[in-house]
Amino acid sequence: MNSEDTVDVVLIGGGIMSATLGSLISRLQPDWSIRVYERLGREAQESSNAWNNAGTGHAALCELNYMPEAADGTVSADKAVSINEQFQVSRQYWSHLVETGAIGDPKQFINSTPHMTFVSGKANVEYLRKRRAALEGQPLFADMEYTEDIDTLAAWTPLLAKKRNRRQRIAATRAASGTDVDFGALTQLLLRDIEQRGAEIHANHQVTWLKRQKDGTWRLRVRHTVGNTPRVVRARFVFVGAGGGALALLQHAGIPEIKGYGGFPISGQFLRTTDPKLVAQHNAKVYGKAAVGAPPMSVPHLDTRVVDGETSLLFGPYAGFTPKFLKSSTWFDLPFSIRLHNIIPMLQVGLKNFDLVRYLVSEVLAGRDKKLAALRQFMPTAKSRDWELITAGQRVQVMKKDPKQGGVLQFGTEVISGADGTIAGLLGASPGASTAVPIMLQVLAKCFPDRVASWEPRLREMIPSYGTTLSDDRELAAASLARTAAVLGLDAGAAQPEIAATAKVPALASA
């Protein structure tokens, strides 16, 4: 490389978002040069790393926070359906990559794992009934089962029922079409593929500064973290996919669109067991209801995990707080992110979310006995000696200025892009990785509106439902679920065989 060369695309951060965007661009615009800069020694070591997230293929099959009960007692399926639609886009794209040979055995990153919900107590049981009723008739939730019977629960997953008080009111749902995803492995597979297609991947390289030039390009200062060798590069388009580091880089870029944004960091821990006897008794991701004041990503769940071919169980997360925005960054991230334009919204968020602050403090102070008590609500027979405590990744929730509400805390992800389309970045967290493909399609639409029309034929080859809504067509939804399940080696779940056999869905194209 020259001391100051120019590339078409620079992707900052070696996580699932940059890898997904690079994968899409390399197919839509194969003549563009792509360069990835990752500050750590290996890609996918922060939020995308398998042990830094729960690995839930977020399809809203089990996550109750996507369907909260309104003040009038009603439960809407709209957000859950939207999340599932987005996950199906990701599934279709992954299936395309597998079928065309870009990715080898899909078992390297995705495995069938039923998604369940579990609640106890009269009020929660009534809520789950309403949730199930709201999802009835939704094509993407067609395989969801419901029970209030403890013997059925025991058949679904023995650990939840063993030695549970049979007089306790319980309810559960189960969707066999759920998945466990190793996003770290998927990120590595995507990056190796784009590298073979001509992209350059540079680990141990940190982007420290970037500025827009008069000719519309971006000038970036890059430091090799081994030896501190500086380098300057110009890029026609920059994507900031640096997870918790994205806010600082977008602030350095000076784009007006970042004004008013701040970050609220939340840390987490999980209990993990690899005991074969326990692992054999639980094959599901089981989500419950969040505690009062708890953030959505802190919904308790007992999960089957498959990482590097090994199966284990994970329970948590136990939320906490540090001012760090990344697991491997500094304690000054939060104070250094404060600007005149975001300090008021950040203060307003703190005042409005006292329950959240109190909850985080209580979680930080919680000892092992309290953590184990939370696990026993799911698994009554849990013993401390069988479980080890591991630290999860940092999550930085979006705080921003709202014209009507003042400062608001936003859960989820948000794409921030410059007005001229030469730079974009992603802030926020869950369901992030699961919906990486539709999120990156949003980036492409925002930043390259003049090219989207010419890309559409290729996008439809890679994502057959592109431009349509599966939940509006029962037969198309069943066919898509069956198609991707077959390619990815998953249980068909909601795809009814008689429909899947006759419904027409565009074939996934070869490369």
Side-chain angles (χ1 to χ4, degrees):
M1 291 185 296
N2 297 323
S3 60
E4 185 169 340
D5 53 349
T6 301
V7 293
D8 293 307
V9 177
V10 164
L11 306 174
I12 304 176
I16 187 64
M17 294 300 172
S18 290
T20 299
L21 184 58
S23 179
L24 286 165
I25 290 176
S26 72
R27 285 163 171 79
L28 296 172
Q29 208 67 47
D31 57 322
W32 285 2
S33 55
I34 301 174
R35 191 173 296 168
V36 181
Y37 290 118
E38 166 57 47
R39 70 186 183 90
L40 299 179
R42 190 182 177 198
E43 306 89 351
Q45 295 306 296
E46 281 283 351
S47 296
S48 300
N49 180 272
W51 295 121
N52 286 342
N53 60 73
T56 304
H58 285 289
L61 297 169
C62 58
E63 306 94 315
L64 301 181
N65 53 295
Y66 295 141
M67 292 182 64
E69 188 171 10
D72 62 1
T74 60
V75 177
S76 171
D78 291 350
K79 186 172 182 180
V81 171
S82 174
I83 294 293
N84 198 308
E85 286 277 0
Q86 293 176 63
F87 182 64
Q88 299 311 319
V89 171
S90 291
R91 265 180 60 148
Q92 289 176 59
Y93 185 65
W94 300 339
S95 298
H96 169 79
L97 296 178
V98 169
E99 193 166 73
T100 58
I103 290 179
D105 183 2
K107 294 295 183 186
Q108 295 175 91
F109 73 93
I110 189 168
N111 289 274
S112 287
T113 306
H115 283 194
M116 293 177 55
T117 59
F118 172 73
V119 299
S120 61
K122 180 180 178 180
N124 289 334
V125 170
E126 289 302 319
Y127 159 75
L128 201 62
R129 283 179 181 173
K130 293 179 184 179
R131 178 180 181 270
R132 177 67 186 101
L135 291 170
E136 281 185 332
Q138 289 291 340
L140 296 175
F141 296 81
D143 72 327
M144 184 173 287
E145 304 170 81
Y146 177 88
T147 189
E148 295 179 20
D149 176 61
I150 194 168
D151 293 325
T152 302
L153 180 68
W156 286 351
T157 175
L159 288 186
L160 266 69
K162 191 175 182 180
K163 292 192 177 180
R164 184 172 295 279
N165 184 346
R166 297 185 69 88
R167 288 183 290 184
Q168 182 184 36
R169 289 203 61 184
I170 58 100
T173 61
R174 180 179 185 271
S177 57
T179 55
D180 173 74
V181 184
D182 182 340
F183 289 107
L186 177 58
T187 299
Q188 295 286 346
L189 291 167
L190 291 173
L191 290 175
R192 297 294 76 80
D193 174 59
I194 68 170
E195 192 171 35
Q196 291 177 5
R197 299 173 72 87
E200 298 177 17
I201 315 293
H202 296 280
N204 291 313
H205 280 74
Q206 182 172 9
V207 176
T208 60
W209 175 91
L210 65 166
K211 184 176 182 180
R212 191 177 185 277
Q213 305 299 292
K214 291 182 179 179
D215 62 359
T217 63
W218 286 88
R219 191 168 184 260
L220 297 86
R221 292 178 187 164
V222 185
R223 179 173 58 85
H224 196 307
T225 57
V226 179
N228 289 323
T229 306
R231 185 179 299 279
V232 176
V233 62
R234 286 178 183 261
R236 295 183 178 89
F237 172 73
V238 176
F239 174 70
V240 185
L247 177 62
L249 285 169
L250 290 170
Q251 289 176 336
H252 280 307
I255 58 174
E257 290 79 7
I258 197 62
K259 289 185 177 180
Y261 281 87
F264 189 97
I266 297 175
S267 61
Q269 294 178 316
F270 284 100
L271 286 172
R272 178 176 65 185
T273 182
T274 56
D275 186 329
K277 292 181 181 178
L278 297 178
V279 172
Q281 297 180 67
H282 187 81
N283 179 34
K285 290 183 178 289
V286 185
Y287 276 56
K289 289 198 76 174
V292 174
M297 82 290 297
S298 293
V299 172
H301 45 99
L302 179 61
D303 295 350
T304 296
R305 292 301 324 269
V306 182
V307 179
D308 296 329
E310 299 294 328
T311 306
S312 60
L313 300 184
L314 207 67
F315 178 79
Y318 302 101
F321 176 82
T322 79
K324 297 168 66 173
F325 281 2
L326 292 165
K327 195 172 180 178
S328 59
S329 60
T330 78
W331 293 79
F332 298 104
D333 289 341
L334 178 58
F336 282 0
S337 73
I338 297 173
R339 302 286 190 276
L340 288 175
H341 59 72
N342 66 16
I343 188 170
I344 292 178
M346 292 173 72
L347 290 172
Q348 289 174 328
V349 165
L351 292 172
K352 291 179 182 178
N353 291 272
F354 183 74
D355 283 346
L356 172 58
V357 175
R358 183 171 56 186
Y359 169 80
L360 292 176
V361 171
S362 70
E363 287 287 279
V364 170
L365 297 177
R368 187 172 178 86
D369 288 345
K370 184 176 179 180
K371 289 180 169 64
L372 202 65
L375 169 59
R376 286 179 178 144
Q377 292 181 23
F378 281 71
M379 178 187 168
T381 58
K383 296 180 175 62
S384 180
R385 66 175 180 267
D386 296 326
W387 298 81
E388 63 173 327
L389 194 64
I390 64 172
T391 301
Q394 287 289 105
R395 297 292 181 268
V396 181
Q397 300 303 317
V398 176
M399 292 188 284
K400 66 178 185 178
K401 185 188 301 182
D402 183 272
K404 296 181 180 180
Q405 305 178 58
V408 295
L409 182 63
Q410 175 177 300
F411 296 103
T413 54
E414 184 159 348
V415 173
I416 309 295
S417 59
D420 63 357
T422 60
I423 188 171
L426 188 72
L427 302 179
S430 182
S434 299
T435 56
V437 176
I439 291 172
M440 293 304 101
L441 290 176
Q442 182 184 346
V443 169
L444 292 174
K446 278 190 168 188
C447 296
F448 304 101
D450 57 327
R451 292 182 178 269
V452 172
S454 64
W455 288 341
E456 281 187 2
R458 180 65 172 137
L459 286 170
R460 290 196 179 94
E461 290 176 3
M462 299 187 295
I463 305 166
S465 71
Y466 180 81
T468 65
T469 305
L470 291 175
S471 57
D472 289 337
D473 189 321
R474 181 169 174 263
E475 291 189 1
L476 186 62
S480 179
L481 286 165
R483 174 71 171 173
T484 56
V487 175
L488 296 173
L490 306 172
D491 292 336
Q496 298 92 335
E498 72 279 5
I499 295 177
T502 57
K504 294 181 179 180
V505 62
L508 295 171
S510 59

